[in-house]
Amino acid sequence: MTVTVTTLKGVETKIGNEMLEELRMTIRGDVLTPEDPGYAGVRSAYNAMYPGRPSLVVRPSGTADVIGAINFARENGLLVAVRGGGHSVAGLSSVDGGLLLDLARMNGVDVDPEARTVRVQGGALIGDMDHETQAFGLVAPSGVVSDTGVAGLTLGGGEGWVRRQYGLAIDNLLSAQVVCADGQVRTASADSNPDLFWAIRGGGGNFGVVTSFTFQCRPVGPTVAFAGVFHPVEDAENVYRQFRDWAATVPDEISALIGCTTLPASEHTPPQIHNVPMIVTGAVYSGDPEEGMRIIQPLRDIGTPLVDISGPLPFVGVQTAFDEFFRRGTLRSYWKSTFVEDLTDPVLDIIVAKARTRPHDRVFVVTFLMGGAINQVGATDTAYSERSAKWMVSIDGNWEDAADDDKVISWVRGAWGEVHEHGTGSLYLNFNSVADEAVTVGVESAFGANLERLAAIKATYDPDNFFRLNNNITPGA
């Protein structure tokens, strides 16, 4: 059979049966076309706006297969999307017509409890990693939704439930194995290809396919203090202001958020909040659970909650607590984020107003307490440059019906713009969607003064911009 595949030049090329068979002889994993039975079983993308319809799927079983797939795609000039966990809200892990390199089979996790390190393959999800590290009472700082891919989250920075004590995922990255556009495997670490190591810590998938990460683990869990308190949206001003005042007093062991959304009925959530617009406050204390519950108590004393599910909780339970907000493949999503130095009254007024006027029930207006260890790293020490702000505000547009696309996207852009006027000028690329926009949107704001150096490193490792389905950095001259 012959497969028609989109190229880097935006035109189509034919891949005949002989070429496909040669590729299959190279790849120990799967090489799938839309006619193959396994094609429908490829791990789906998070964002329902971008399911993707690739003409060719390669599911490698290991690094050698990734090399083979990259060489094949480069030699034939094929457009490639790389899917680690597939949780790109911008749809950058999906492709129509091109080649999808789906790393789902590469989900191995290996913990060294004595060295307190973990090696994680590029297709693993946060839940895969937590399952293994928590067996030893360890955590590799990652995200807040267990279904997120470790790779995409890390390459964009990686903020999670222990961020204020231990920093971002990239701040705990020791090394990575990277298959670059030339098909060569490089180790990126402080001692090996340090320029590449600097770039992948926040620079996204611009520089190659990361087939494995090695992280420093931290002693957290297996039980932690957790706050999950839900309030009626009518009490938003009071809840937001008291949350802000409490946040100003807490130690770095506390990482917290506050947001507004509505959730449908589910066996995974309390019935008191089913289909009810609500404000949720969430927090984790990464030290002694008893001390953590004492520090968290003021959150539980705010107003009259709809329901309070706070208490000591296994860390793996914390990591799944917000999964219900972001079910893979069920929501169309368009998000924009911005950083602010402080939650001033004008900023809070905007957030509360937007929380009350959301254009769809599933829109999530969420504010993260940042600072702590994140801000102890220099702005030029990693590609990720936002190291000063104490807060991040994310306007997460989520909805089901394609007929609502224009309405929700327009509202998100407007709401984001109002907050962004009060911000540092930066944004978090992991929470930066693309719709009728170039893949470079937000890149200059996110990287700031680091962009020139990133462009030079891009020119070294990917001068032809082979890896372009990402928050794309144009190779320097």
Side-chain angles (χ1 to χ4, degrees):
M1 66 175 297
T2 297
V3 180
T4 301
V5 187
T6 302
T7 69
L8 291 165
K9 295 181 179 179
V11 298
E12 295 180 338
T13 190
K14 303 290 186 182
I15 303 295
N17 189 61
E18 184 176 341
M19 292 176 66
L20 282 174
E21 288 308 310
E22 289 179 359
L23 178 61
R24 287 190 169 108
M25 289 178 65
T26 303
I27 303 299
R28 180 170 286 186
D30 304 317
V31 177
L32 304 170
T33 72
E35 306 302 318
D36 292 318
Y39 183 90
V42 172
R43 183 157 68 191
S44 62
Y46 160 73
N47 192 342
M49 289 181 72
Y50 306 107
R53 180 70 177 173
S55 295
L56 196 58
V57 177
V58 177
R59 293 196 299 190
S61 63
T63 299
D65 281 358
V66 174
I67 296 169
I70 293 302
N71 286 338
F72 178 83
R74 186 190 65 254
E75 291 163 4
N76 291 282
L78 305 183
L79 180 66
V80 174
V82 181
R83 180 174 296 174
H87 226 268
S88 169
V89 295
L92 298 174
S93 57
S94 298
V95 66
D96 291 318
L99 184 153
L100 175 65
L101 184 61
D102 172 33
L103 304 182
R105 292 183 59 168
M106 296 176 59
N107 64 348
V109 178
D110 184 30
V111 181
D112 183 337
E114 293 186 5
R116 290 184 174 177
T117 61
V118 60
R119 183 175 178 271
V120 185
Q121 286 187 298
L125 303 179
I126 290 174
D128 298 326
M129 183 169 68
D130 289 338
H131 178 71
E132 298 296 332
T133 58
Q134 277 293 280
F136 304 97
L138 299 173
V139 163
S142 56
V144 296
V145 175
S146 71
D147 189 47
T148 308
V150 172
L153 175 99
T154 299
L155 294 174
E159 64 90 14
W161 279 121
V162 297
R163 61 186 176 272
R164 283 173 37 82
Q165 184 172 15
Y166 295 119
L168 304 171
I170 56 171
D171 300 329
N172 297 273
L173 182 63
L174 298 176
S175 67
Q177 186 180 70
V178 188
V179 180
C180 296
D182 59 3
Q184 298 299 306
V185 182
R186 292 176 173 87
T187 297
S189 70
D191 300 319
S192 180
N193 300 299
D195 57 340
L196 182 60
F197 185 54
W198 180 87
I200 65 171
R201 286 179 291 162
N206 276 281
F207 307 98
V209 180
V210 180
T211 56
S212 69
F213 302 81
T214 300
F215 296 100
Q216 185 69 62
C217 293
R218 309 295 182 175
V220 177
T223 300
V224 295
F226 172 73
V229 190
F230 301 84
H231 294 266
V233 73
E234 292 78 12
D235 198 23
E237 288 95 340
N238 174 50
V239 177
Y240 269 92
R241 278 165 174 74
Q242 290 202 50
F243 176 88
R244 176 190 61 185
D245 295 345
W246 168 81
T249 70
V250 299
D252 291 349
E253 287 85 353
I254 288 280
S255 293
L257 62 79
I258 183 170
C260 178
T261 192
T262 307
L263 292 177
S266 167
E267 61 179 328
H268 304 291
T269 55
Q272 297 93 325
I273 62 169
H274 291 173
N275 300 304
V276 176
M278 48 79 176
I279 306 292
V280 57
T281 58
V284 171
Y285 182 82
S286 51
D288 175 67
E290 184 175 346
E291 173 67 5
M293 291 311 301
R294 184 190 66 78
I295 295 171
I296 282 170
Q297 187 59 41
L299 269 190
R300 308 178 70 186
D301 294 335
I302 297 173
T304 304
L306 294 167
V307 64
D308 180 354
I309 60 171
S310 306
L313 191 69
F315 185 77
V316 291
V318 170
Q319 289 288 73
T320 62
F322 281 77
D323 285 7
E324 195 65 20
F325 291 68
F326 307 107
R327 286 290 170 194
R328 181 185 295 264
T330 63
L331 295 171
R332 305 173 73 81
S333 293
Y334 183 85
W335 301 2
K336 291 291 184 186
S337 65
T338 190
F339 292 95
V340 295
E341 290 286 359
D342 290 297
L343 278 188
T344 61
D345 285 344
V347 172
L348 272 186
D349 289 343
I350 295 169
I351 293 172
V352 170
K354 299 310 173 186
R356 286 181 164 168
T357 59
R358 294 171 297 121
H360 189 281
D361 283 349
R362 299 303 301 277
V363 170
F364 193 21
V365 179
V366 58
T367 302
F368 297 85
L369 175 62
M370 305 296 279
I374 299 170
N375 294 3
Q376 295 169 18
V377 178
T380 61
D381 289 351
T382 61
Y384 181 99
S385 65
E386 179 47 76
R387 298 291 186 169
S388 65
K390 296 184 179 69
W391 298 90
M392 178 173 68
V393 181
S394 188
I395 313 294
D396 299 353
N398 303 301
W399 66 103
E400 290 108 353
D401 191 342
D404 292 330
D405 285 6
D406 291 344
K407 178 181 69 174
V408 179
I409 290 171
S410 176
W411 185 90
V412 168
R413 287 172 176 164
W416 172 81
E418 289 185 42
V419 181
H420 194 60
E421 287 183 4
H422 296 267
T424 65
S426 187
L427 52 84
Y428 182 41
L429 285 174
N430 279 353
F431 296 171
N432 180 58
S433 289
V434 176
D436 300 319
E437 298 156 290
V439 291
T440 55
V441 66
V443 166
E444 184 174 355
S445 297
F447 295 125
N450 289 342
L451 184 57
E452 184 177 355
R453 182 179 176 187
L454 281 164
I457 298 172
K458 175 78 169 177
T460 298
Y461 293 100
D462 187 13
D464 299 321
N465 203 16
F466 176 80
F467 295 108
R468 62 184 62 181
L469 290 181
N470 46 49
N471 296 118
N472 198 236
I473 297 166
T474 303

Short mmCIF file of all heavy atoms in Angstrom, two decimals, residues 38 42 69 78 141 171 179 195 218 223 278 311 332 366 374 417 433 444 468:
data_model
loop_
_atom_site.label_atom_id
_atom_site.label_comp_id
_atom_site.label_asym_id
_atom_site.label_seq_id
_atom_site.Cartn_x
_atom_site.Cartn_y
_atom_site.Cartn_z
N GLY A 38 -4.09 -1.54 14.86
CA GLY A 38 -3.59 -0.87 16.05
C GLY A 38 -3.69 0.63 16.02
O GLY A 38 -3.49 1.29 17.05
N VAL A 42 -3.95 4.08 19.43
CA VAL A 42 -2.91 5.04 19.80
C VAL A 42 -3.43 5.94 20.90
O VAL A 42 -4.58 6.40 20.86
CB VAL A 42 -2.49 5.87 18.57
CG1 VAL A 42 -1.55 7.00 18.96
CG2 VAL A 42 -1.83 4.97 17.53
N ALA A 69 13.14 6.27 13.56
CA ALA A 69 12.01 7.07 13.09
C ALA A 69 12.46 8.48 12.69
O ALA A 69 12.01 9.02 11.68
CB ALA A 69 10.95 7.15 14.20
N LEU A 78 9.63 14.61 6.27
CA LEU A 78 8.27 14.49 6.80
C LEU A 78 8.04 15.42 7.99
O LEU A 78 8.94 15.62 8.82
CB LEU A 78 8.00 13.05 7.22
CG LEU A 78 8.22 11.97 6.17
CD1 LEU A 78 7.83 10.61 6.72
CD2 LEU A 78 7.46 12.28 4.88
N PRO A 141 9.70 16.22 41.73
CA PRO A 141 8.76 17.32 41.50
C PRO A 141 8.25 17.34 40.07
O PRO A 141 9.04 17.29 39.12
CB PRO A 141 9.60 18.56 41.82
CG PRO A 141 10.56 18.07 42.87
CD PRO A 141 10.92 16.67 42.42
N ASP A 171 14.24 22.13 37.77
CA ASP A 171 15.21 22.44 38.82
C ASP A 171 15.70 21.18 39.51
O ASP A 171 16.65 21.23 40.31
CB ASP A 171 14.59 23.39 39.85
CG ASP A 171 14.15 24.70 39.23
OD1 ASP A 171 14.78 25.13 38.25
OD2 ASP A 171 13.17 25.28 39.72
N VAL A 179 17.53 12.49 21.49
CA VAL A 179 17.77 12.16 20.08
C VAL A 179 17.54 13.44 19.29
O VAL A 179 16.42 13.95 19.23
CB VAL A 179 16.84 11.04 19.58
CG1 VAL A 179 17.13 10.75 18.11
CG2 VAL A 179 17.03 9.79 20.42
N ASP A 195 25.18 23.22 27.05
CA ASP A 195 24.30 24.18 26.35
C ASP A 195 22.95 23.55 26.05
O ASP A 195 21.89 24.19 26.21
CB ASP A 195 24.97 24.68 25.07
CG ASP A 195 25.35 23.56 24.11
OD1 ASP A 195 25.45 22.39 24.53
OD2 ASP A 195 25.55 23.86 22.91
N ARG A 218 12.97 13.84 46.08
CA ARG A 218 12.88 14.50 47.38
C ARG A 218 12.05 13.66 48.33
O ARG A 218 11.07 13.02 47.91
CB ARG A 218 12.25 15.89 47.23
CG ARG A 218 12.91 16.75 46.15
CD ARG A 218 14.36 17.08 46.49
NE ARG A 218 14.97 17.94 45.47
CZ ARG A 218 16.17 18.46 45.57
NH1 ARG A 218 16.93 18.19 46.63
NH2 ARG A 218 16.67 19.22 44.61
N THR A 223 2.32 10.07 53.05
CA THR A 223 1.14 10.85 53.44
C THR A 223 1.53 12.31 53.60
O THR A 223 2.58 12.62 54.18
CB THR A 223 0.56 10.31 54.76
OG1 THR A 223 0.18 8.94 54.58
CG2 THR A 223 -0.67 11.11 55.17
N MET A 278 -18.38 26.93 41.74
CA MET A 278 -17.73 26.93 43.07
C MET A 278 -16.31 27.48 42.98
O MET A 278 -15.67 27.48 41.93
CB MET A 278 -17.75 25.53 43.68
CG MET A 278 -17.29 24.42 42.77
SD MET A 278 -15.51 24.24 42.58
CE MET A 278 -15.41 22.76 41.56
N GLY A 311 -7.49 16.92 54.65
CA GLY A 311 -7.01 15.96 55.63
C GLY A 311 -5.71 15.35 55.18
O GLY A 311 -5.25 15.59 54.06
N ARG A 332 -12.71 20.54 24.76
CA ARG A 332 -11.98 21.45 23.90
C ARG A 332 -11.35 22.50 24.82
O ARG A 332 -11.98 22.96 25.76
CB ARG A 332 -12.94 22.10 22.89
CG ARG A 332 -13.70 21.07 22.08
CD ARG A 332 -14.76 21.69 21.20
NE ARG A 332 -14.18 22.37 20.05
CZ ARG A 332 -13.77 21.77 18.94
NH1 ARG A 332 -13.85 20.44 18.84
NH2 ARG A 332 -13.28 22.46 17.93
N VAL A 366 -7.93 29.97 37.38
CA VAL A 366 -7.14 29.42 38.48
C VAL A 366 -5.88 30.24 38.72
O VAL A 366 -5.24 30.71 37.79
CB VAL A 366 -6.80 27.92 38.21
CG1 VAL A 366 -6.03 27.77 36.92
CG2 VAL A 366 -6.04 27.31 39.37
N ILE A 374 11.33 28.27 43.59
CA ILE A 374 11.32 28.68 42.17
C ILE A 374 12.11 29.96 41.99
O ILE A 374 12.88 30.12 41.04
CB ILE A 374 9.87 28.87 41.67
CG1 ILE A 374 9.09 27.57 41.78
CG2 ILE A 374 9.86 29.36 40.22
CD1 ILE A 374 7.60 27.74 41.54
N GLY A 417 -5.95 39.16 28.81
CA GLY A 417 -5.37 40.46 28.54
C GLY A 417 -5.53 41.42 29.70
O GLY A 417 -4.61 42.21 30.01
N SER A 433 -2.16 28.21 24.79
CA SER A 433 -2.79 27.55 23.65
C SER A 433 -2.54 28.29 22.35
O SER A 433 -2.13 29.45 22.33
CB SER A 433 -4.29 27.40 23.90
OG SER A 433 -4.55 26.43 24.89
N GLU A 444 8.46 34.84 22.74
CA GLU A 444 9.31 35.97 23.12
C GLU A 444 9.00 36.43 24.54
O GLU A 444 9.92 36.72 25.33
CB GLU A 444 9.11 37.13 22.14
CG GLU A 444 10.04 38.31 22.40
CD GLU A 444 9.95 39.39 21.34
OE1 GLU A 444 9.23 39.18 20.33
OE2 GLU A 444 10.57 40.44 21.52
N ARG A 468 9.44 21.39 14.78
CA ARG A 468 8.75 22.69 14.68
C ARG A 468 7.34 22.67 15.27
O ARG A 468 6.73 23.74 15.42
CB ARG A 468 8.69 23.14 13.23
CG ARG A 468 7.92 22.22 12.30
CD ARG A 468 8.00 22.69 10.86
NE ARG A 468 9.39 22.69 10.35
CZ ARG A 468 9.73 23.08 9.13
NH1 ARG A 468 8.79 23.52 8.30
NH2 ARG A 468 10.99 23.03 8.74
#
